[in-house]
Amino acid sequence: MKMILLGAPGAGKGTQAKLISKNFNIPHISTGDILRSNVSQETELGLKAKGYMEAGALVPDELVLSLVKDRLLQEDCEKGFILDGFPRNLQQAKALNQMLQEIKMNMDRVFLLNVDKDEVVVRISGRRFCENCGSSYHISLNPSKLGTSCEVCGEALIQRTDDKKEVVLDRIKVYEKATKPLVDYYRAQGILEEISGSKDIQEVYDTICRDLQAV
Ligand code: AP5
């Protein structure tokens, strides 16, 4: 099963991708997570990406495309994968099509998680994440059982630098302008499924699973 999770910042893509990955045993490929890990390790890619990410802008396509291509060629992707945060614009979507054709694969499903702008601002401003293992929480909507520490690895939870309110509003604008056109692009291919992302985490997950069983 090969799928994409689309949606505004804070729509719940990462949260759902982790659940799907665990339960369907397919890799979760988050370009945001890969880029953040490169930033924290101060790799060449991370140093190039840092300024764009802190400003809420998209990292240039050439940097992102090569990292996705390398990842999709890894053996664990043969049985399927979940793309979270990629593609982000039409150029990336077309490049992804080309990559899939080269490795003789098709995309099965694109889930669009619909959530109101006010709700995503609330979700993002309360989000806390673990830099060590990538787990994500919300101070009130999805709190860690260990308070300010990660349930999975015990590390201290932190706020992402691009989760400050002024950057969040810029990220939403970038989503509206660059990423939203992908909704029509995938609808025209007959693989788009729109889901209400404002229900609770388990309900959203159950809806995705019901759809996947029918594919
Ligand atoms: P990225 O990491 O992809 O961020 P994003 O798309 O802005 O998405 P988020 O991670 O903010 O939100 P999410 O939808 O995953 O929500 P989550 O599940 O965490 O990208 C960051 C940056 O990297 C970009 O700005 C760009 O600079 C760069 N980048 C990445 N990919 C790129 C690409 N392809 N091209 C170019 N640049 C790229 O949930 C949010 C919160 O809500 C959490 O606290 C969670 O616990 C809570 N929550 C989730 N679901 C629910 C629910 N149903 N009910 C209540 N609370 C919920």
Side-chain angles (χ1 to χ4, degrees), residues 55-98:
L58 293 185
V59 172
D61 288 348
E62 63 271 20
L63 299 178
V64 176
L65 290 174
S66 67
L67 81 82
V68 172
K69 192 167 188 180
D70 289 348
R71 185 65 189 87
L72 290 181
L73 288 173
Q74 288 174 24
E75 210 180 321
D76 63 342
C77 289
E78 281 172 11
K79 58 188 173 172
F81 49 80
I82 309 152
L83 288 170
D84 158 16
F86 180 89
R88 221 47 179 230
N89 58 31
L90 273 173
Q91 292 89 311
Q92 292 186 6
K94 288 178 183 167
L96 173 63
N97 263 1
Q98 177 74 33

Side-chain angles (χ1 to χ4, degrees), residues 131-185:
E131 208 171 17
N132 183 45
C133 74
S135 298
S136 176
Y137 304 89
H138 189 281
I139 48 174
S140 57
L141 300 169
N142 180 28
S144 164
K145 292 187 185 97
L146 298 180
T148 55
S149 302
C150 177
E151 279 175 23
V152 179
C153 69
E155 284 293 312
L157 299 175
I158 59 165
Q159 188 168 30
R160 271 169 47 177
T161 47
D162 61 346
D163 278 355
K164 293 184 205 110
K165 193 166 180 187
E166 58 280 13
V167 185
V168 171
L169 297 177
D170 284 339
R171 284 164 58 202
I172 293 172
K173 281 190 202 143
V174 170
Y175 171 75
E176 295 284 337
K177 190 162 176 235
T179 312
K180 234 178 169 180
L182 298 185
V183 173
D184 286 338
Y185 178 79

Side-chain angles (χ1 to χ4, degrees), residues 35-64:
L35 289 167
R36 271 186 292 282
S37 148
N38 276 274
V39 170
S40 70
Q41 290 168 42
E42 300 183 337
T43 65
E44 196 184 334
L45 169 62
L47 294 173
K48 286 181 184 158
K50 189 171 189 248
Y52 296 99
M53 296 176 77
E54 283 177 353
L58 293 185
V59 172
D61 288 348
E62 63 271 20
L63 299 178
V64 176

